[in-house]
Amino acid sequence: MTRSGPSIVVDARMIASSGIGTYLRNTLSRIIQARPSWHFTLLGDREQLTDLGSPEALVDIKDAGAPVYSLREQLDFARFG
């Protein structure tokens, strides 16, 4: 499927946490469903992200497990760019 919309990358590593994780869980699947022509790349734990209920055809999931605010995080994200 060719996508005509923008490409969006979401850092979803903290999806299992309270606060930002709650926000991600409650909004991410709705945004993806509302914008089927957009290409989404989710960064985080594959098991946690496939449980969002969105068809995997709509998103790419990249395993990203670097600690938040670390040098490794910066190096990993440059690789996804």
Side-chain angles (χ1 to χ4, degrees):
M1 171 194 291
T2 302
R3 299 200 167 123
S4 60
S7 181
I8 308 296
V9 178
V10 178
D11 180 358
R13 291 175 296 157
M14 297 182 71
I15 199 156
S17 301
S18 61
I20 189 68
T22 301
Y23 179 80
L24 286 168
R25 283 189 307 278
N26 288 317
T27 59
L28 196 51
S29 63
R30 291 180 181 136
I31 293 169
I32 292 170
Q33 290 173 2
R35 301 289 184 240
S37 65
W38 292 12
H39 177 254
F40 290 89
T41 301
L42 306 180
L43 307 177
D45 182 276
R46 185 171 298 279
E47 282 185 31
Q48 292 175 341
L49 298 176
T50 54
D51 289 342
L52 288 175
S54 302
E56 190 141 0
L58 295 175
V59 298
D60 293 323
I61 298 173
K62 304 284 185 182
D63 286 315
V68 177
Y69 307 123
S70 69
L71 178 59
R72 187 173 142 218
E73 171 187 63
Q74 299 304 308
L75 296 171
D76 281 356
F77 283 7
R79 172 176 62 119
F80 296 129

